[in-house]
């Protein structure tokens, strides 16, 4: 089994990204991956698992998620109810403990890839509450008195959309990588993976327009990689030619712009640009 990641046929990984993944594996530290939404952070973990032929576990973080849930949860209410009903199972506290994703990863017989997705959605104390567990790869279960240690240290990949700053103590324990938005040459490779054989002229026209759109001053939400892939899928489905994509000042919105622009402020921005262009004629 290989322990080196070099990308996959379905995921274009830049040299600096593969270097970061392999460095984190070598150091046995969590890999913290930041980048704007749609740059493939979550998919990276899945592709690492696929490339190394390892099982994968996902812990998707929400604003209400607590760090304890990643370890285990003790259902005291159910135990109290069962004791009132005279249930036999009440005598074993383990019947009321639900294992979290970290516990599952720690007790796995083989190395696994553990994805902690969008850690910045949780409370600011969330990363600090996992410091020791991720560092020592063990935790204590107070209800049973046992200590859960990782049989095989998992590969931990943590993603963040930079919605809030993460604590310094947490950052020190991670290997950090920022996924920059792909340049046009890398984007061409990504498109070729998802839309093999796309005509060069159409792709050039579409990507030129896409990057111009991203650079438009005042844009609230820049379209991402996943959105340009959806847009290209629509262009191909409609069998549009490069000349169909041409915009002039009177029609500033791109064809099928609903795949690229995801809020009314950005649509209104381009409508205002078109209106101003018409007035200047």
């Amino acid at each position: 089994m290989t322990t080196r990641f070099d990308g996959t046929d379905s995921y274009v990984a830049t040299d600096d990204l593969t270097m970061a993944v392999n460095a984190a594996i070598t150091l046995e530290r969590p890999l913290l991956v930041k980048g704007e939404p749609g740059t493939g952070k979550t998919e990276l973990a899945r592709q690492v698992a696929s490339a190394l032929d390892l099982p994968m576990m996902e812990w998707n973080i929400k604003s209400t998620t607590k760090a304890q849930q990643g370890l285990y949860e003790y259902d005291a209410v159910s135990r109290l109810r069962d004791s009132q009903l005279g249930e036999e199972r009440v005598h074993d506290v383990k019947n009321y403990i639900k294992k979290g994703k970290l516990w599952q990863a720690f007790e796995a017989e083989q190395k696994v890839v553990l994805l902690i997705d969008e850690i910045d959605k949780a409370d600011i104390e969330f990363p600090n509450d996992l410091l020791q567990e991720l560092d020592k790869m063990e935790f204590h279960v107070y209800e049973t008195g046992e200590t859960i240690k990782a049989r095989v240290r998992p590969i931990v990949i943590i993603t963040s959309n930079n919605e809030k700053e993460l604590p310094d103590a947490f950052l020190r324990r991670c290997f950090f990588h920022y996924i920059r938005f792909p340049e046009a040459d890398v984007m061409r490779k990504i498109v070729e993976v998802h839309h093999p054989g796309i005509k060069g002229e159409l792709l050039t026209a579409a990507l030129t327009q896409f990057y111009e759109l991203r650079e438009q001053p005042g844009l609230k939400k820049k379209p991402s990689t996943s959105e340009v892939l959806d847009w290209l899928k629509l262009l191909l489905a409609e069998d549009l030619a490069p000349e169909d994509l041409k915009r002039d000042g009177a029609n500033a919105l791109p064809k099928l712009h609903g795949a690229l622009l995801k809020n009314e402020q950005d649509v209104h921005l381009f409508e205002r640009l078109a209106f101003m262009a018409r007035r200047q004629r």
Side-chain angles (χ1 to χ4, degrees), residues 111 206 227:
K111 187 181 286 292
E227 286 154 351

Side-chain angles (χ1 to χ4, degrees), residues 98-114:
K98 179 183 177 183
K99 297 176 182 179
K101 293 296 182 181
L102 263 73
W103 189 330
Q104 294 172 36
F106 286 5
E107 73 175 1
E109 297 287 348
Q110 66 174 113
K111 187 181 286 292
V112 302
V113 174
L114 172 63

Side-chain angles (χ1 to χ4, degrees), residues 240-255:
L240 297 181
E243 51 269 22
D244 295 326
L245 301 186
K246 289 182 180 177
R247 294 184 298 161
D248 54 33
N251 186 22
L253 282 168
K255 296 279 187 185

Side-chain angles (χ1 to χ4, degrees), residues 134-151:
L134 289 175
D135 199 23
K136 294 184 177 180
M137 287 288 157
E138 66 177 52
F139 63 90
H140 186 71
V141 182
Y142 295 99
E143 290 77 8
T144 64
E146 60 186 324
T147 297
I148 307 300
K149 295 184 179 182
R151 296 179 181 178

Side-chain angles (χ1 to χ4, degrees), residues 7-18:
T8 67
D9 292 339
S10 58
Y11 188 88
V12 177
T14 56
D15 290 343
D16 58 342
L17 178 55
T18 58

